[in-house]
Amino acid sequence: MAISMTEAAANHVRRSIDGRGKGVGIRLGVRTTGCSGLAYVLEFVDELADEDQVFESHGQKVIIDPKSLTYLDGTELDFVKEGLNEGFKFNNPNVRGECGCGESFNV
């Protein structure tokens, strides 16, 4: 089981943590919501929990809880800029469908 980040995503995480002044990495998880069932959740992590799974890419840590890992195994986190918009993109091989607005997915 593995989660990875592109160099662009790792650089964005590094800048964000540096700007915050603290943090060991970012947590990637899922929550039940939306028309397709699941949505991604990203948040800063200041302390690791015992059950956390930690993956490192380009010197930055992605922390996952065991329940979310089932839905996220193999996911690559990218950071993209398209015109005036920028944000994280989730390249998740487990996704079988997404809602029309792109806010939720199912596996």
Side-chain angles (χ1 to χ4, degrees), residues 42-99:
L42 278 173
E43 61 187 9
F44 291 107
V45 176
D46 295 328
E47 292 185 30
L48 296 173
D50 290 338
E51 68 274 7
D52 283 339
Q53 299 287 315
V54 180
F55 302 92
E56 190 168 327
S57 291
H58 304 283
Q60 297 303 304
K61 291 179 175 65
V62 179
I63 296 101
I64 311 286
D65 66 271
K67 285 176 62 177
S68 293
L69 188 55
T70 303
Y71 304 105
L72 299 172
D73 184 31
T75 296
E76 178 189 59
L77 184 60
D78 195 6
F79 189 79
V80 295
K81 295 181 180 184
E82 296 173 351
L84 298 175
N85 299 318
E86 63 182 21
F88 285 104
K89 180 179 179 185
F90 306 93
N91 299 313
N92 184 344
N94 305 300
V95 171
R96 297 292 172 244
E98 296 178 321
C99 68

